[in-house]
Amino acid sequence: MIPKPKRVRLKGAALKALNAAIQERDGHCCIICGRYVQPGEKFHHEPGGPDKSDVMEQGVTLCFDCHQRRHFGPGSREVKEKCREYLAELYGDYDEQWR
C-alpha cells in the first residue's frame, strides 16, 4: 500500500505567497474562461475536500463566476475535469501522484 501524502495547510504569508505563485503561473487569468483575476483572489483547490492540500500542484486560478460554477453550478463536473486536465498537463496525473 502506498502511503498517502500528508496534507499541507498553510497560513498567513506562506498562503499568500502560494496564492501569488499560482496566479503568476496561470498568467493572472482564469484557466476556464480566460478572464483576468485580481491579485489576491483565492485560488481553487483541485481536488477539494479531504484530499486538498496547499501546494502548487493542486491549485488553479479561477474567476469568481467559474469558481462558483465549480462548487455550485450545473457545469461543476465540466469545470472539475478542466481543472484536473490543466494540472495533469503541468504536473502529471493527480491520481498517480497524490494517491
Side-chain angles (χ1 to χ4, degrees):
M1 177 181 221
I2 299 172
K4 197 172 187 179
K6 186 175 180 179
R7 286 176 59 180
V8 177
R9 308 308 295 153
L10 300 177
K11 294 180 181 178
L15 184 58
K16 285 182 182 181
L18 175 63
N19 197 61
I22 290 170
Q23 284 192 339
E24 179 79 20
R25 179 201 64 204
D26 297 342
H28 297 277
C29 292
C30 176
I31 66 157
I32 303 299
C33 70
R35 187 181 307 157
Y36 177 77
V37 176
Q38 293 290 329
E41 187 158 334
K42 189 176 181 309
F43 68 92
H44 169 71
H45 291 90
E46 191 62 56
D51 290 331
K52 82 178 180 180
S53 203
D54 294 333
V55 294
M56 285 282 289
E57 298 86 354
Q58 291 187 20
V60 295
T61 302
L62 297 179
C63 68
F64 180 81
D65 292 338
C66 289
H67 205 157
Q68 290 294 103
R69 202 169 113 218
R70 167 59 183 99
H71 289 287
F72 308 110
S76 153
R77 186 173 302 224
E78 177 184 307
V79 174
K80 175 183 177 178
E81 287 308 311
K82 286 183 180 181
C83 289
R84 284 183 167 234
E85 288 170 7
Y86 178 79
L87 291 171
E89 285 179 22
L90 294 173
Y91 304 109
D93 187 50
Y94 166 82
D95 291 324
E96 291 178 15
Q97 182 175 0
W98 295 96
R99 292 191 185 222

PDB file of all heavy atoms in Angstrom, residues 10-23 40 43:
ATOM      1  N   LEU A  10      -1.303  25.754   4.815  1.00  0.00           N
ATOM      2  CA  LEU A  10      -0.537  26.987   5.003  1.00  0.00           C
ATOM      3  C   LEU A  10      -1.430  28.078   5.576  1.00  0.00           C
ATOM      4  O   LEU A  10      -2.652  28.054   5.404  1.00  0.00           O
ATOM      5  CB  LEU A  10       0.033  27.450   3.661  1.00  0.00           C
ATOM      6  CG  LEU A  10       0.977  26.482   2.957  1.00  0.00           C
ATOM      7  CD1 LEU A  10       1.403  27.060   1.610  1.00  0.00           C
ATOM      8  CD2 LEU A  10       2.173  26.148   3.818  1.00  0.00           C
ATOM      9  N   LYS A  11      -0.784  29.049   6.208  1.00  0.00           N
ATOM     10  CA  LYS A  11      -1.500  30.197   6.769  1.00  0.00           C
ATOM     11  C   LYS A  11      -0.680  31.459   6.515  1.00  0.00           C
ATOM     12  O   LYS A  11       0.506  31.388   6.217  1.00  0.00           O
ATOM     13  CB  LYS A  11      -1.696  30.037   8.278  1.00  0.00           C
ATOM     14  CG  LYS A  11      -2.592  28.898   8.669  1.00  0.00           C
ATOM     15  CD  LYS A  11      -2.728  28.818  10.168  1.00  0.00           C
ATOM     16  CE  LYS A  11      -3.614  27.644  10.540  1.00  0.00           C
ATOM     17  NZ  LYS A  11      -3.734  27.484  11.987  1.00  0.00           N
ATOM     18  N   GLY A  12      -1.334  32.578   6.652  1.00  0.00           N
ATOM     19  CA  GLY A  12      -0.655  33.866   6.623  1.00  0.00           C
ATOM     20  C   GLY A  12       0.167  34.119   5.376  1.00  0.00           C
ATOM     21  O   GLY A  12      -0.280  33.903   4.242  1.00  0.00           O
ATOM     22  N   ALA A  13       1.409  34.564   5.597  1.00  0.00           N
ATOM     23  CA  ALA A  13       2.291  34.960   4.490  1.00  0.00           C
ATOM     24  C   ALA A  13       2.589  33.798   3.549  1.00  0.00           C
ATOM     25  O   ALA A  13       2.686  33.990   2.334  1.00  0.00           O
ATOM     26  CB  ALA A  13       3.584  35.538   5.037  1.00  0.00           C
ATOM     27  N   ALA A  14       2.721  32.585   4.088  1.00  0.00           N
ATOM     28  CA  ALA A  14       3.021  31.423   3.236  1.00  0.00           C
ATOM     29  C   ALA A  14       1.854  31.134   2.289  1.00  0.00           C
ATOM     30  O   ALA A  14       2.060  30.831   1.108  1.00  0.00           O
ATOM     31  CB  ALA A  14       3.328  30.199   4.095  1.00  0.00           C
ATOM     32  N   LEU A  15       0.629  31.250   2.782  1.00  0.00           N
ATOM     33  CA  LEU A  15      -0.548  31.023   1.932  1.00  0.00           C
ATOM     34  C   LEU A  15      -0.669  32.136   0.888  1.00  0.00           C
ATOM     35  O   LEU A  15      -0.974  31.868  -0.281  1.00  0.00           O
ATOM     36  CB  LEU A  15      -1.813  30.929   2.777  1.00  0.00           C
ATOM     37  CG  LEU A  15      -3.099  30.592   2.034  1.00  0.00           C
ATOM     38  CD1 LEU A  15      -2.977  29.265   1.282  1.00  0.00           C
ATOM     39  CD2 LEU A  15      -4.273  30.542   3.009  1.00  0.00           C
ATOM     40  N   LYS A  16      -0.401  33.366   1.273  1.00  0.00           N
ATOM     41  CA  LYS A  16      -0.438  34.481   0.317  1.00  0.00           C
ATOM     42  C   LYS A  16       0.607  34.297  -0.775  1.00  0.00           C
ATOM     43  O   LYS A  16       0.351  34.568  -1.948  1.00  0.00           O
ATOM     44  CB  LYS A  16      -0.210  35.820   1.031  1.00  0.00           C
ATOM     45  CG  LYS A  16      -1.409  36.289   1.808  1.00  0.00           C
ATOM     46  CD  LYS A  16      -1.139  37.631   2.461  1.00  0.00           C
ATOM     47  CE  LYS A  16      -2.331  38.070   3.276  1.00  0.00           C
ATOM     48  NZ  LYS A  16      -2.116  39.376   3.908  1.00  0.00           N
ATOM     49  N   ALA A  17       1.787  33.818  -0.390  1.00  0.00           N
ATOM     50  CA  ALA A  17       2.856  33.588  -1.366  1.00  0.00           C
ATOM     51  C   ALA A  17       2.465  32.475  -2.345  1.00  0.00           C
ATOM     52  O   ALA A  17       2.711  32.593  -3.556  1.00  0.00           O
ATOM     53  CB  ALA A  17       4.162  33.235  -0.663  1.00  0.00           C
ATOM     54  N   LEU A  18       1.852  31.412  -1.837  1.00  0.00           N
ATOM     55  CA  LEU A  18       1.388  30.328  -2.714  1.00  0.00           C
ATOM     56  C   LEU A  18       0.317  30.847  -3.666  1.00  0.00           C
ATOM     57  O   LEU A  18       0.353  30.573  -4.868  1.00  0.00           O
ATOM     58  CB  LEU A  18       0.842  29.161  -1.897  1.00  0.00           C
ATOM     59  CG  LEU A  18       0.222  28.033  -2.715  1.00  0.00           C
ATOM     60  CD1 LEU A  18       1.260  27.365  -3.618  1.00  0.00           C
ATOM     61  CD2 LEU A  18      -0.451  27.016  -1.812  1.00  0.00           C
ATOM     62  N   ASN A  19      -0.620  31.620  -3.151  1.00  0.00           N
ATOM     63  CA  ASN A  19      -1.687  32.176  -3.979  1.00  0.00           C
ATOM     64  C   ASN A  19      -1.094  33.033  -5.099  1.00  0.00           C
ATOM     65  O   ASN A  19      -1.486  32.904  -6.266  1.00  0.00           O
ATOM     66  CB  ASN A  19      -2.635  33.001  -3.106  1.00  0.00           C
ATOM     67  CG  ASN A  19      -3.953  33.269  -3.779  1.00  0.00           C
ATOM     68  OD1 ASN A  19      -4.676  32.343  -4.104  1.00  0.00           O
ATOM     69  ND2 ASN A  19      -4.268  34.537  -3.986  1.00  0.00           N
ATOM     70  N   ALA A  20      -0.127  33.874  -4.746  1.00  0.00           N
ATOM     71  CA  ALA A  20       0.520  34.739  -5.748  1.00  0.00           C
ATOM     72  C   ALA A  20       1.269  33.903  -6.786  1.00  0.00           C
ATOM     73  O   ALA A  20       1.227  34.209  -7.984  1.00  0.00           O
ATOM     74  CB  ALA A  20       1.468  35.717  -5.060  1.00  0.00           C
ATOM     75  N   ALA A  21       1.931  32.836  -6.348  1.00  0.00           N
ATOM     76  CA  ALA A  21       2.678  31.975  -7.271  1.00  0.00           C
ATOM     77  C   ALA A  21       1.743  31.252  -8.232  1.00  0.00           C
ATOM     78  O   ALA A  21       2.048  31.109  -9.425  1.00  0.00           O
ATOM     79  CB  ALA A  21       3.519  30.972  -6.486  1.00  0.00           C
ATOM     80  N   ILE A  22       0.603  30.805  -7.742  1.00  0.00           N
ATOM     81  CA  ILE A  22      -0.376  30.125  -8.609  1.00  0.00           C
ATOM     82  C   ILE A  22      -0.923  31.110  -9.631  1.00  0.00           C
ATOM     83  O   ILE A  22      -1.016  30.792 -10.818  1.00  0.00           O
ATOM     84  CB  ILE A  22      -1.495  29.469  -7.770  1.00  0.00           C
ATOM     85  CG1 ILE A  22      -0.924  28.262  -7.008  1.00  0.00           C
ATOM     86  CG2 ILE A  22      -2.677  29.057  -8.650  1.00  0.00           C
ATOM     87  CD1 ILE A  22      -1.858  27.674  -5.978  1.00  0.00           C
ATOM     88  N   GLN A  23      -1.267  32.312  -9.185  1.00  0.00           N
ATOM     89  CA  GLN A  23      -1.769  33.315 -10.124  1.00  0.00           C
ATOM     90  C   GLN A  23      -0.704  33.688 -11.154  1.00  0.00           C
ATOM     91  O   GLN A  23      -1.014  33.845 -12.331  1.00  0.00           O
ATOM     92  CB  GLN A  23      -2.261  34.554  -9.384  1.00  0.00           C
ATOM     93  CG  GLN A  23      -3.592  34.355  -8.720  1.00  0.00           C
ATOM     94  CD  GLN A  23      -4.190  35.654  -8.245  1.00  0.00           C
ATOM     95  OE1 GLN A  23      -3.504  36.659  -8.043  1.00  0.00           O
ATOM     96  NE2 GLN A  23      -5.494  35.654  -8.070  1.00  0.00           N
ATOM     97  N   GLY A  40      -4.609  38.460  -5.350  1.00  0.00           N
ATOM     98  CA  GLY A  40      -5.146  38.219  -4.016  1.00  0.00           C
ATOM     99  C   GLY A  40      -6.421  37.404  -3.983  1.00  0.00           C
ATOM    100  O   GLY A  40      -6.789  36.901  -2.926  1.00  0.00           O
ATOM    101  N   PHE A  43      -7.106  31.148  -4.730  1.00  0.00           N
ATOM    102  CA  PHE A  43      -7.054  30.076  -5.728  1.00  0.00           C
ATOM    103  C   PHE A  43      -8.034  28.964  -5.374  1.00  0.00           C
ATOM    104  O   PHE A  43      -8.515  28.876  -4.241  1.00  0.00           O
ATOM    105  CB  PHE A  43      -5.624  29.525  -5.865  1.00  0.00           C
ATOM    106  CG  PHE A  43      -5.124  28.777  -4.661  1.00  0.00           C
ATOM    107  CD1 PHE A  43      -5.289  27.401  -4.560  1.00  0.00           C
ATOM    108  CD2 PHE A  43      -4.476  29.432  -3.632  1.00  0.00           C
ATOM    109  CE1 PHE A  43      -4.816  26.696  -3.463  1.00  0.00           C
ATOM    110  CE2 PHE A  43      -3.993  28.747  -2.531  1.00  0.00           C
ATOM    111  CZ  PHE A  43      -4.167  27.373  -2.448  1.00  0.00           C
TER     112      PHE A  43
END
